[in-house]
Amino acid sequence: MRHWRPVLRYLRTHKRFPRLAVPRTYAERMLWRKLVDHNPQFVVMCDKLDCKEHVKRTCPDLAVPATLWVGDDANDIPGELLQGDVLVKTNHAYKQNYAIRNGMVDRADLKKKTDVWLASRHGLRDHEWAYGCVKPRLFVERSIGKAEEDLLEFNIRASNGQPLLGSVIGHNKLPNQWTVYLDLRGRPTWGPSSPPDEPATELPRGLDVSEPYQQALAYASKLSRGIDYARFDFMWNGKTLYAGEITIYPSGGNKEIGHPQARRLITEGWRIESSGFLSRQPNGLSARLYAGALRRRLRQS
């Protein structure tokens, strides 16, 4: 029954049954990933601590935010590490970040919130298989900038060494957040909710993102090799480009891409032929027969 839950959720969300045998749309491929493609590499990428080490091995010249402490209890964090600007995070989920500015911290509140986070098992509700394999840990990370000031986030969607589409976000997760999609030359295209026939969305006046964006594209090309699709996140503080997270299930893997042109670029570029399931010999006769049939079908299309 548990495998039917994400299928029923898909049906409620998209008002149609998914074509799981040969997934075509972005949402169908995300559901296929959840139910079929249990690539062990996804577990590494969903663990924020392991992901940092993976980035360091793959792109040793790419800056990674410094990890100052790792543990299992907020009360064990040395007080001197909470001075200045730092973030207390968990490694097994998103939106579990506790920002400390200028050393101002309520240790009791920090303990209460992080205990709840550590007791959770992220991804179970949305069937994000890889998150469920990550052992929850707590860590302290040095801040590299502030979203309310000049910190920018670049998101690069890429498939097996090929960037497909980028975007830049300012004031991330704040009320005045803005997002603009960028083509592979760095030219602004649309916003996520722009009408299909609307002219290109412009970047804020005076903002030039060409240099860090091209860096992000180059690093995403390296990091995506051997991965059929993921979103590779980077942070730019005006001086240095930093690695962010590698997102395997954007928006929990439940939504279609909103803008039709963005959806087309990503769906056409996402080559599931390079997925973990189709790149190796699956266990079990039925899985091997299905993988062979799917490979043949994909070659014909």
Side-chain angles (χ1 to χ4, degrees):
M1 176 62 186
R2 65 186 181 91
H3 288 91
W4 277 102
R5 289 173 183 167
V7 174
L8 292 174
R9 178 168 184 166
Y10 180 99
L11 177 60
R12 289 194 300 268
T13 302
H14 302 285
K15 311 304 179 187
R16 64 177 185 271
F17 282 101
R19 296 166 293 186
L20 276 178
V22 186
R24 297 296 186 186
T25 68
Y26 176 86
E28 286 173 343
R29 294 180 187 204
M30 275 293 164
L31 182 59
W32 184 85
R33 167 173 284 183
K34 292 179 178 183
L35 298 180
V36 178
D37 188 24
H38 290 182
N39 186 344
Q41 191 70 4
F42 291 167
V43 181
V44 174
M45 294 179 173
C46 287
D47 184 327
K48 293 178 184 177
L49 292 169
D50 286 350
C51 187
K52 286 188 177 191
E53 298 306 313
H54 168 70
V55 170
K56 291 175 183 178
R57 291 190 300 269
T58 308
C59 300
D61 57 334
L62 173 58
V64 177
T67 300
L68 307 177
W69 175 90
V70 179
D72 303 301
D73 191 322
N75 283 343
D76 295 336
I77 303 174
E80 60 268 21
L81 294 184
L82 300 182
Q83 302 301 312
D85 295 345
V86 297
L87 299 168
V88 181
K89 300 182 175 182
T90 58
N91 67 323
H92 70 299
Y94 58 83
K95 295 183 179 179
Q96 294 187 356
N97 304 327
Y98 193 105
I100 298 172
R101 302 299 186 194
N102 300 316
M104 301 297 293
V105 56
D106 182 335
R107 293 294 295 251
D109 182 61
L110 176 62
K111 167 68 173 173
K112 181 179 179 180
K113 287 185 177 178
T114 54
D115 279 354
V116 172
W117 293 345
L118 289 170
S120 67
R121 299 298 291 182
H122 182 72
L124 297 181
R125 177 177 176 273
D126 287 329
H127 220 83
E128 298 166 274
W129 162 81
Y131 278 115
C133 298
V134 178
K135 178 185 176 182
R137 303 295 306 278
L138 200 63
F139 66 100
V140 179
E141 182 178 274
R142 181 175 289 123
S143 175
I144 61 170
K146 298 179 180 179
E148 58 269 26
E149 295 178 3
D150 57 357
L151 189 67
L152 297 177
E153 179 173 334
F154 292 100
N155 298 153
I156 311 297
R157 292 88 173 159
S159 175
N160 195 22
Q162 178 58 55
L164 307 175
L165 180 67
S167 59
V168 57
I169 304 172
H171 305 301
N172 196 15
K173 298 181 175 65
L174 296 175
N176 57 339
Q177 174 179 315
W178 56 265
T179 303
V180 177
Y181 283 120
L182 304 172
D183 67 17
L184 298 186
R185 295 183 180 181
R187 296 174 301 190
T189 54
W190 343 275
S193 302
S194 301
D197 56 350
E198 185 174 282
T201 302
E202 297 296 328
L203 292 170
R205 185 181 299 274
L207 180 62
D208 182 2
V209 300
S210 54
E211 179 183 351
Y213 180 63
Q214 292 302 320
Q215 292 180 41
L217 288 174
Y219 285 123
S221 297
K222 295 179 181 179
L223 291 167
S224 66
R225 289 171 187 162
I227 299 298
D228 59 314
Y229 176 78
R231 195 188 76 205
F232 299 84
D233 301 342
F234 303 88
M235 309 301 294
W236 170 253
N237 64 4
K239 298 179 181 179
T240 304
L241 186 74
Y242 287 86
E245 299 178 15
I246 299 178
T247 306
I248 300 299
Y249 311 102
S251 300
N254 296 317
K255 298 179 179 179
E256 273 291 0
I257 302 295
H259 196 281
Q261 291 177 314
R263 183 166 61 248
R264 177 183 59 80
L265 285 171
I266 293 171
T267 304
E268 291 180 356
W270 181 348
R271 311 303 298 176
I272 66 171
E273 296 91 330
S274 57
S275 64
F277 179 76
L278 293 178
S279 298
R280 64 181 189 274
Q281 188 74 330
N283 294 324
L285 178 60
S286 60
R288 290 197 295 271
L289 291 173
Y290 167 59
L294 180 55
R295 291 190 192 99
R296 290 191 295 272
R297 183 66 176 273
L298 292 171
R299 284 196 295 267
Q300 293 169 1
S301 59

